């Protein structure tokens, strides 16, 4: 339990570094990238450049906060994919060079795997971790999956989106309503003062445990477009109600299949992970369903929901224990992920 692991995350638009001692988080530094706000989404080329600027200061800060020297590190864990290739290259190249210099092993981590394993990151106040097997609803900007987690690296995706991810549904709604990127946190905030029953939107009829969010986007677009014809101030006057109604619809869609998955598998330990798992409405829904169905619910702490390196480091620690090290000639992958 004494090994110090450095985690590096650079798959999208957050540059993050964390130091863990075993599973205990000593630091988790995250540098976001404001540059994308004005474009209403992540611009890959700008993301790579910002990672290049941020990576050394972020790693420095993570080591300083953890109060350790770089030569105390036992291994370096980094996100290999999926994500933006240019962004991943920054973290991967840095990890290779740093591991080589320090003469320590490096461990490659799948981003979606890491989002789930963040539930094993501990600190003074968080010591309880889920027992295997558990279900995890992983909801981020690029993925929406229901995963049966049988062991740290034995995961089965039993449901996934066939088009947009849940995070995209939040982000695209924000764009329609003229709200800034990323849309999730803004919609979450406005939803708190809105009426979730004010508007109703089409819900998908998708078989099994799969999801679809592209129809919802179209439904929102039509509602807004039709109302703007008679009232040019429609969005302004109904912003909070629109946000609350959209958020409720997304959560209903997500929870519906999660309940189905729990019933089908008989698994009652249920977790959420990924950026959208920061959503306060989703927290409330998980706690309510936990009561109703006697689930043991796991919700990540806020800074562990969106992209962070603590999740990469904790996943790295478990791989380190298995002795599964990455070779210096590996390259990042943009798409491949769990089960592929
Ligand atoms: O996991 P993440 O940080 O990056 C990816 O791996 O994609 O997830 C980012 C997504 C974005 O779509 C963002 O709008 C969403 O997470 N998000 C939220 C909230 N905070 C971030 N969605 C809903 N409510 C939130 N509070
Ligand atoms: Zn993510």
């Amino acid at each position: 339990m004494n090994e110090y692991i450095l985690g590096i995350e650079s798959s999208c638009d957050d540059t993050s570094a964390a130091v863990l001692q075993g599973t205990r988080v000593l630091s988790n530094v995250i540098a976001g990238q404001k540059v994308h706000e004005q474009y209403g989404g992540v611009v890959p080329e700008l993301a790579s450049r910002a990672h290049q600027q941020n990576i050394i200061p972020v790693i420095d800060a993570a080591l300083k906060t953890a109060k350790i020297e770089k030569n105390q590190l036992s291994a370096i864990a980094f996100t290999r994919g999926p994500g933006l290739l240019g962004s991943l290259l920054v973290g991967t190249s840095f990890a290779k060079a740093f591991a080589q210099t320090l003469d320590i092993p490096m461990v490659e981590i799948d981003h979606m795997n890491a989002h789930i394993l963040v539930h094993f990151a501990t600190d003074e106040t968080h010591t309880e971790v889920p027992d295997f097997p558990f279900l995890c609803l992983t909801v981020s900007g690029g993925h929406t999956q229901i995963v049966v987690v049988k062991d740290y690296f034995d995961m089965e995706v039993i449901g996934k989106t066939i088009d947009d991810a849940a995070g995209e549904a939040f982000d695209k709604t924000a764009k329609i309503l003229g709200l800034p990127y990323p849309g999730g946190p803004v919609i979450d905030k406005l939803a708190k003062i809105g009426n979730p029953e004010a508007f109703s939107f089409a819900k998908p009829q998708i078989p099994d445990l799969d999801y679809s969010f592209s129809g919802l986007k179209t439904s929102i677009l039509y509602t807004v477009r039709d109302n703007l014809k008679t009232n040019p101030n429609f969005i302004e006057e109904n912003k909070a109600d629109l946000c609350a109604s959209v958020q409720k619809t997304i959560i209903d869609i997500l929870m519906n299949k999660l309940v189905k998955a729990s019933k089908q598998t008989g698994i009652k330990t249920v977790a959420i992970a990924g950026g959208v798992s920061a959503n306060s409405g989703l927290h409330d829904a998980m706690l309510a369903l936990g009561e109703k169905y006697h689930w043991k619910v796991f919700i990540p702490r806020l800074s562990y929901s969106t992209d962070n390196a603590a999740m990469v480091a904790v996943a790295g620690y478990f791989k380190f224990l298995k002795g599964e090290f990455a070779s210096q000639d590996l390259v990042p992958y943009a798409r491949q992920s769990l089960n592929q």
Side-chain angles (χ1 to χ4, degrees), residues 15 17 29 31 51-64:
T15 319
V29 178
H51 283 304
Q52 194 74 269
Q53 280 175 333
N54 293 341
I55 190 138
I56 302 267
V58 162
I59 284 167
D60 239 15
L63 289 167
K64 284 207 177 83

Side-chain angles (χ1 to χ4, degrees), residues 111 115 140-142 167 170-171 182-185 188 274-276 278-279 306-307:
H111 182 82
H115 266 304
S140 71
F170 275 102
D171 296 336
D188 191 354
V276 179
N279 188 270
T306 45
D307 289 347

Side-chain angles (χ1 to χ4, degrees), residues 132-211:
F132 299 118
F134 66 93
L135 280 181
C136 189
L137 171 70
T138 317
V139 269
S140 71
H143 293 80
T144 299
Q145 299 175 331
I146 299 177
V147 184
V148 179
V149 187
K150 300 170 191 170
D151 207 321
Y152 300 116
F153 300 103
D154 184 5
M155 304 189 181
E156 185 188 351
V157 179
I158 56 171
K160 60 182 183 320
T161 183
I162 58 164
D163 42 54
D164 290 352
E168 268 178 293
F170 275 102
D171 296 336
K172 287 180 176 173
T173 303
K175 208 165 189 174
I176 294 170
L177 301 181
L179 298 169
Y181 175 88
V186 191
I187 291 177
D188 191 354
K189 201 167 159 205
L190 282 165
K192 290 196 176 110
I193 51 165
N195 173 11
E197 311 295 340
F199 300 95
S200 63
F201 302 106
K203 286 192 186 153
Q205 305 295 325
I206 303 290
D208 306 323
L209 297 171
D210 287 338
Y211 289 110

Side-chain angles (χ1 to χ4, degrees), residues 254-264 289 293 295:
L254 290 172
M255 293 295 105
N256 193 315
K257 294 289 171 89
L258 192 58
V259 169
K260 195 171 169 187
S262 170
K263 285 183 180 161
Q264 263 180 29
L289 289 173
Y293 294 108
W295 288 351

